Amino acid sequence: MVFGRRRRAAAVEIRTDRAVYRPGDTVRARVRLTPGTALPDPEIAVSLLHVDTVSDGGTSTDSWAVDGRYVFEGRPLRAGEEVEVVVDLRVPDRTEPFPGTDDDPLVDDAEDYRHEILRSEAWGAPTSTGKALRSEWFVQVVAPGTDERAAITVLAVGGPVDARTEPRGDSDRLARITLDGLPQRSVPAGATVTGRLRVEARTELDARALRVDLMLIETQGDRVLTAERKAGVTVSGPVRLAPRAPVDLPFSLTLPPDLTPSVTTEGWTISWVLFGVVDLPRREDAVGRRVLAVHDPRA
C-alpha cells in the first residue's frame, strides 16, 4: 500500500508490506523521504502508533508508540536528496494491557527510540471503529516539520466468550429469559448465528411478540455512550405466557457484514449484545441479554 502527501518541509512516502496484520506480526515499512531543505543533523523517527478516540459530545484522542526506530542517524541530508529506509515494527501480542506491568523502557540504550517507550505502553486494542469510539493503528514518520501517517489494520482475533445470559433491570421478576445454543467463541461479521430463545414466565403475560435483537453497546467507564439496534429477528408473534410453562423457540440471525470488532481497552469497550425480548404492551419489556463477541472475518 502507498500513502503520503507532500509538505514544504519534506516529501514522505510510506509503503507497508500489506494492509492487515494480526497481533504479533511484523510490519515492514519502507519509507522514502526527500527533504525540502538541508537537514544537517536530522532526528527522524519511524514508529508504530496506536490511537484511541472517544467522541461523547466532544472528542478526545490518546496516542502512543508501541515500537519505533530512529533512522538516518548521524547523517546530514541535503535538500532534494531522496533517501529510503526499511524498518520492521512489531505489532504487540497482547490486545489488552497487563495490570501491574512495570514501567521500565523497552530497551536500555538511551540512544534507541524504544528507550522512550515504557513496557506498560507496549500494547493496543485491535482496530475497531464504533459510533463513538475508535481504535486505530498507523505507521508514523516524524521529521523536522513533517508528521506523516499510514493507516494499517490490526485484527481482533477470535476467542472464547462469556456464555451466560443476564436479566436486564427488573426483567427477572416477570420472566427468566435465556439465549442458549450460541457459539462459545467470537464470530465473524456477516456470519449467521443460530440459537434458542427460552422464556419462563413468572406470572401470566400477554406478549405482542418475542424477539432477538442485536445491539451495539459502547461504554466508557460506567457510562453508556451508544446503545443502538443493528439487527434483529421476530421469533414469535402474539403469545400468552403462563407460569411453569416454558417456551423454547429456535432463532437464526444473520449479522451485518460491516460490524466493527468487539474491543475492550483500559477505559472503554465496544460490545455486541444479543437481547431476548418479551414485547409487553403498556409496560416495560422483559429482557435478557448475552454478549456476542465479533471479530473481523479476515482474522
Side-chain angles (χ1 to χ4, degrees):
M1 298 189 69
V2 180
F3 305 85
R5 60 188 184 276
R6 182 174 293 275
R7 294 183 179 178
R8 185 173 58 84
V12 176
E13 183 183 271
I14 305 170
R15 294 175 179 265
T16 55
D17 57 333
R18 56 188 195 273
V20 178
Y21 300 87
R22 296 169 63 93
D25 282 352
T26 296
V27 179
R28 175 152 288 187
R30 186 178 298 275
V31 175
R32 182 176 298 162
L33 182 141
T34 308
T37 58
L39 300 176
D41 187 20
E43 184 173 275
I44 300 171
V46 180
S47 61
L48 181 60
L49 193 72
H50 180 252
V51 180
D52 280 342
T53 304
V54 179
S55 300
D56 57 347
T59 299
S60 58
T61 300
D62 187 16
S63 63
W64 62 93
V66 303
D67 194 6
R69 306 289 188 278
Y70 287 121
V71 295
F72 311 123
E73 288 184 272
R75 175 187 170 186
L77 299 178
R78 301 186 304 275
E81 177 188 2
E82 183 178 277
V83 290
E84 187 174 288
V85 67
V86 176
V87 180
D88 287 338
L89 303 166
R90 186 173 179 275
V91 180
D93 281 330
R94 53 195 172 114
T95 55
E96 295 182 30
F98 290 150
T101 301
D102 64 52
D103 272 346
D104 292 335
L106 285 180
V107 299
D108 294 330
D109 183 359
E111 300 299 318
D112 193 309
Y113 183 91
R114 292 167 294 176
H115 184 75
E116 304 296 324
I117 302 171
L118 303 179
R119 294 186 185 277
S120 60
E121 296 174 333
W123 69 279
T127 300
S128 189
T129 303
K131 190 170 183 180
L133 305 167
R134 295 199 306 274
S135 171
E136 298 173 289
W137 290 85
F138 300 91
V139 174
Q140 181 186 50
V141 177
V142 177
T146 299
D147 181 344
E148 298 287 349
R149 295 181 183 182
I152 63 169
T153 295
V154 174
L155 295 177
V157 180
V161 297
D162 189 346
R164 297 173 300 168
T165 305
E166 299 177 353
R168 189 185 71 175
D170 294 331
S171 294
D172 201 44
R173 64 183 173 79
L174 297 176
R176 183 171 185 267
I177 301 166
T178 53
L179 296 161
D180 300 315
L182 292 164
Q184 300 299 303
R185 299 178 64 83
S186 62
V187 295
T192 296
V193 174
T194 59
R196 184 187 67 190
L197 173 65
R198 181 179 178 88
V199 180
E200 300 174 70
R202 303 193 189 283
T203 184
E204 191 168 282
L205 299 171
D206 286 312
R208 285 181 295 206
L210 303 180
R211 303 194 316 270
V212 175
D213 291 341
L214 177 69
M215 300 282 291
L216 167 64
I217 308 293
E218 297 178 321
T219 60
Q220 183 184 25
D222 296 329
R223 292 189 304 148
V224 176
L225 302 181
T226 304
E228 183 176 311
R229 184 179 184 271
K230 289 294 187 178
V233 60
T234 298
V235 182
S236 170
V239 60
R240 173 164 289 182
L241 302 169
R244 296 179 298 280
V247 173
D248 287 284
L249 296 169
F251 70 88
S252 177
L253 177 63
T254 298
L255 308 182
D258 60 348
L259 298 187
T260 198
S262 306
V263 162
T264 299
T265 77
E266 280 184 313
W268 52 263
T269 63
I270 296 176
S271 302
W272 295 100
V273 183
L274 288 176
F275 285 83
V277 181
V278 179
D279 185 348
L280 299 172
R282 298 182 300 280
R283 67 194 300 180
E284 184 178 355
D285 296 338
V287 177
R289 50 172 285 162
R290 176 167 161 181
V291 173
L292 179 75
V294 175
H295 63 258
D296 192 300
R298 293 170 290 181

